[in-house]
Amino acid sequence: MPNYRISEAAVLLGVSDDTVRRWADSGRLPTVRDDAGRQAIEATELARFASEASSSNELALGRAPIAGESARNRFPGIVTRVLRDGVMAQVELQCGPYRVVSLMSREAADELGLEPGVLAVGAVKATNVVVELPVRR
């Protein structure tokens, strides 16, 4: 599983870099050092934190009202949960303050390697959510 830089975590959580740093400094969001010695957050830890912060509505604070949106919406986020059975999978993403759930074939979830902590994009059109994997830089 990859680690996420503070700035990446901030984008995924929909908050400022400073907010993520405050959470890290207070011990609420444990950090590690990456190969370059920078502060980073383990993927599974970020997924856990995103789920907890979202359920307490903490991530919804300070959101600007929406005047309009497009018919096709893309929500970058982090996979927080994957439930698989014989044929289907339920994939939950935390996209800032939004929880996005996709139902897909187990085969698709397996091919994408979807597990808690994976960076993904929920692409929404009507009632369908398509999960994509962005290129990480």
Side-chain angles (χ1 to χ4, degrees):
M1 255 333 117
N3 292 330
Y4 291 94
R5 294 186 318 248
I6 296 292
S7 60
E8 292 174 318
V11 168
L12 294 172
L13 296 172
V15 298
S16 71
D17 294 9
D18 288 338
T19 297
V20 174
R21 283 190 192 92
R22 278 193 297 277
W23 287 334
D25 291 344
S26 71
R28 288 191 59 211
L29 186 55
T31 61
V32 295
R33 292 287 172 185
D34 67 12
D35 294 337
R38 295 176 300 215
Q39 196 174 28
I41 302 161
E42 291 179 339
T44 53
E45 187 59 35
L46 183 59
R48 179 204 58 78
F49 182 85
S51 291
E52 287 177 10
S54 174
S55 65
S56 68
N57 288 323
E58 193 168 0
L59 297 179
L61 299 175
R63 298 292 295 181
I66 303 296
E69 39 184 80
S70 69
R72 294 183 183 146
N73 300 291
R74 297 170 56 85
F75 299 99
I78 187 167
V79 176
T80 57
R81 186 174 183 199
V82 180
L83 299 173
R84 290 176 168 90
D85 69 13
V87 177
M88 297 299 294
Q90 176 180 317
V91 179
E92 297 180 17
L93 302 171
Q94 193 62 47
C95 306
Y98 306 107
R99 178 175 165 260
V100 178
V101 179
S102 176
L103 299 175
M104 65 180 68
S105 70
R106 179 188 179 116
E107 180 181 7
D110 291 345
E111 285 178 4
L112 290 171
L114 298 176
E115 297 293 339
V118 170
L119 181 65
V121 176
V124 179
K125 181 176 181 191
T127 59
N128 297 314
V129 175
V130 178
V131 176
E132 302 170 339
L133 299 177
V135 175
R136 284 198 72 195
R137 295 178 186 176

